[in-house]
Amino acid sequence: MKPATLALLALLPAPAFAGYECTATQQCGGGTCEAYAGGPFLIEEAGDVWRVSTDGQAWEGYLTTTMDAGGEVSIVLPPQNGMSGLVSIFPSGEFLFTAHAYGQGAVAITGSGNCAGDGG
């Protein structure tokens, strides 16, 4: 009886994880803006955290609001891998990425672009 129960559980639908693929078109920092030359931002729900990755770097963050609750997806990235940040994805598909870091002084870099995905 036990193997049959496990087989039935395996057939139950699992919750789908949300995700986005975002293309940044512009980045700004130090008072100037330029075209963003990096790869796409992959933003994926991974259990209790959201994983944000681009160009071989990855950060884990926490959802602070959803489209349904706040009109945008908002993911805060606590300090890790030399930076902290915030990702906002709006119902229009537009997104903003802000990174804060400290090197030879405090630095803030923002990026903007568009996303495609199945929501969050």
Side-chain angles (χ1 to χ4, degrees):
M1 178 93 159
K2 197 173 197 178
T5 304
L6 292 175
L8 286 174
L9 286 175
L11 295 175
L12 291 175
F17 288 116
Y20 297 91
E21 182 170 329
C22 303
T23 302
T25 55
Q26 176 178 272
Q27 72 179 22
C28 301
T32 63
C33 294
E34 61 190 22
Y36 180 76
F41 283 76
L42 300 177
I43 303 168
E44 305 165 296
E45 184 180 9
D48 292 340
V49 298
W50 282 68
R51 183 174 173 83
V52 178
S53 60
T54 187
D55 296 331
Q57 296 187 24
W59 305 271
E60 289 186 346
Y62 301 95
L63 192 66
T64 63
T65 191
T66 64
M67 293 285 181
D68 294 337
E72 70 181 78
V73 170
S74 174
I75 302 164
V76 66
L77 304 171
Q80 58 198 292
N81 299 330
M83 59 145 275
S84 61
L86 175 67
V87 175
S88 296
I89 303 171
F90 300 93
S92 64
E94 294 174 275
F95 97 110
L96 299 172
F97 180 88
T98 303
H100 295 176
Y102 193 86
Q104 295 180 347
V107 175
I109 298 171
T110 61
S112 61
N114 293 290
C115 297
D118 55 10

